[in-house]
Amino acid sequence: MAISFSNLGTSANPDINSETNATSYVTSSWVPPTSGLIVLFVYSRHATEMPNAPAVTGNNLGWALKTANDWDGVHNLSLFVANAVGSMEGITTIDWESQTQECCIASFFLAEGVDLSGGILSTVVQAPSNSGTGTSLSITLSAAGHANNRPVSCFVHVANEITTPRTNWTEADDLAGANPDRGLDSQWRSDAFETTASASWTTSSSCGGIAAELKALLVSPSASVSPSVSPSASVSPSASESPSVS
């Protein structure tokens, strides 16, 4: 089964793009889908130290942290996934306990046709990351586990400007802001798997990203129908009884 994608926020609720200093950030109430895999990328920046690993709660969902990318001692980008079955209308909370963040960006989108049978974390086959300084960033993935698997990615750079997604990829969200300067771009490729994810922008700046391979649900062909049972052998007629002796 092919994996398909849809954007849950389109740079609007439930997506978050806040420059407020806070220890937690909350969406407005929203109605999640009730099937498929919800993919959530979360970025935050601390003033002087590495951000804590955030925790995500809400909507009657089990939000699982798959991986995180920390760079430059103050930036964190995390990838969460959730099985949408059983979801409920409500708010989503992203929390760093008592540690104050300078900003938060959250990008939500949906992947359908993902294999959820092995548990939520098994939906992501691999999730490499990279960081650096420049006007672009690339992440290399290993060859896909199956031709139907599909890649997703998210890139952050420290400048208040738009981001250009990789050719042939679809941009989910392009969120930017100031105080502090930040720009986040999430994207997916739905027509094929490739082993490079990338994004680019105008200003040379510190940057980090995560790419991931989502595992497609494979539908086995139906078992062929057994041929009809051969008709039973006809029963031989009973031998007629010999006439009685007169």
Side-chain angles (χ1 to χ4, degrees), residues 28-183:
S28 299
S29 182
W30 65 294
V31 181
T34 55
S35 63
L37 180 75
I38 300 176
V39 178
L40 168 60
F41 286 103
V42 177
Y43 166 72
S44 74
R45 175 176 177 173
H46 191 275
T48 59
E49 62 185 14
M50 194 64 69
N52 293 336
V56 180
T57 56
N59 306 98
N60 197 42
L61 295 174
W63 299 91
L65 175 62
K66 178 62 180 184
T67 192
N69 183 9
D70 299 314
W71 73 97
D72 285 357
V74 294
H75 302 285
N76 172 273
L77 177 63
S78 296
L79 167 60
F80 290 86
V81 285
N83 185 341
V85 173
S87 69
M88 297 176 61
E89 179 177 0
I91 62 171
T92 306
T93 301
I94 306 170
D95 182 69
W96 282 265
E97 297 179 348
S98 58
Q99 189 190 49
T100 299
Q101 308 300 305
E102 290 191 315
C103 65
C104 172
I105 305 180
S107 171
F108 295 75
F109 58 87
L110 177 70
E112 296 179 279
V114 174
D115 185 359
L116 293 156
S117 64
I120 191 61
L121 289 178
S122 71
T123 60
V124 180
V125 178
Q126 57 174 315
S129 61
N130 195 13
S131 61
T133 300
T135 57
S136 66
L137 186 66
S138 296
I139 302 171
T140 300
L141 297 103
S142 299
H146 191 278
N148 287 351
N149 294 357
R150 292 293 179 264
V152 300
S153 65
C154 184
F155 295 88
V156 173
H157 72 288
V158 186
N160 179 13
E161 60 191 17
I162 63 171
T163 302
T164 302
R166 184 173 176 81
T167 301
N168 295 323
W169 290 56
T170 299
E171 185 175 72
D173 294 304
D174 189 353
L175 298 157
N179 301 313
D181 289 344
R182 61 199 184 276

